[in-house]
Amino acid sequence: MLELKNISFGVSDESAQKEILKDISLVIEDNQFIVVTGPNGGGKSTLARVIAGIEKPTSGRIILDGQDITEMNVTERAKAGISFAFQQPVRFKGVTVLDLIRLAVGEKISVSGACEYLSEVGLCARDYINREVNASLSGGELKRIEIATVLARSTKVSVFDEPEAGIDLWSFNNLIRVFEKMHDSIRGSIMIISHQERILNIADKIVVIADGQISAEGRREDILPELLNNTEAGDCKFYQKEC
């Protein structure tokens, strides 16, 4: 179980301190699928980065299975059981897809074993397994390879920051199938930052963040209808569709 207790995060500019997250408390239960949504600039991605250890909260505590991990860095949190998939995946010149998956698994698995993870995300293994993770790969390809590494790690908590960003329709449809499969045979808790209705539709719980605070939180069947009604009424405050 992951617990966020009174998490705040701010940055300083030349004139003042800007509060991006304001006293957020949230519990992600074991084997729970949570989608965090809300308006752009509301603090969703910052929250994901704070959980991953990329940013350190100004105040508050982060507890994983009873252990305080607030002071842990990214590497330490990864070892503790938190995976993070960036909105814009990182490129690694000189590192092959096979290298990356083996690093994620933590052992030198066979080529066929690594290929299974690529197949999970709809990539033809023979076309990708020996390719470098560099500029020759498209954004959609990189996104799916990164998701394959998260699957390979199979950690206690997997955090995805807008996994649909920058990918084509076919890739998005395949992405939904990957998350549906993860949801059906869940390996640890999943937290996804997203505006997409199809991703929201497979969540156990939806959390709405606006202006750095949780403005709504609850079961999908309780929260999603309100978000959709707001969108149909032309109110894009919380949920972005085609507004």
Side-chain angles (χ1 to χ4, degrees), residues 154-234:
S154 188
T155 51
K156 297 175 184 177
V157 180
S158 299
V159 181
F160 299 86
D161 187 7
E162 296 196 29
E164 72 275 11
I167 65 173
D168 56 37
L169 179 60
W170 186 92
S171 296
F172 178 67
N173 290 336
N174 192 69
L175 185 67
I176 294 297
R177 288 192 291 271
V178 170
F179 288 134
E180 286 175 334
K181 187 172 182 179
M182 287 180 71
H183 196 195
D184 290 339
S185 57
I186 196 163
R187 293 172 290 184
S189 303
I190 301 168
M191 174 178 160
I192 299 179
I193 310 296
S194 181
H195 297 294
Q196 292 293 332
E197 180 182 352
R198 288 181 63 188
I199 294 179
L200 289 161
N201 248 322
I202 58 176
D204 297 319
K205 178 178 178 179
I206 294 175
V207 177
V208 182
I209 293 183
D211 192 28
Q213 298 175 303
I214 294 177
S215 59
E217 175 184 357
R219 299 182 308 163
R220 174 193 67 240
E221 50 267 42
D222 296 330
I223 300 296
L224 185 55
E226 181 182 349
L227 296 179
L228 297 177
N229 287 338
N230 287 341
T231 303
E232 290 171 1

Side-chain angles (χ1 to χ4, degrees), residues 77-143:
R77 291 195 197 186
K79 290 178 179 177
I82 295 179
S83 294
F84 180 71
F86 290 87
Q87 187 178 141
Q88 297 296 329
V90 180
R91 299 175 189 269
F92 301 94
K93 187 175 180 181
V95 176
T96 68
V97 173
L98 177 58
D99 294 332
L100 205 59
I101 293 176
R102 282 176 170 171
L103 283 170
V105 174
E107 59 185 62
K108 193 173 182 178
I109 61 170
S110 66
V111 172
S112 61
C115 287
E116 289 181 11
Y117 292 110
L118 291 177
S119 298
E120 288 274 352
V121 296
L123 293 177
C124 179
R126 67 174 178 271
D127 293 338
Y128 289 92
I129 196 68
N130 291 313
R131 288 182 64 177
E132 285 191 16
V133 187
N134 57 21
S136 69
L137 295 169
S138 70
E141 289 169 330
L142 280 170
K143 182 77 72 173

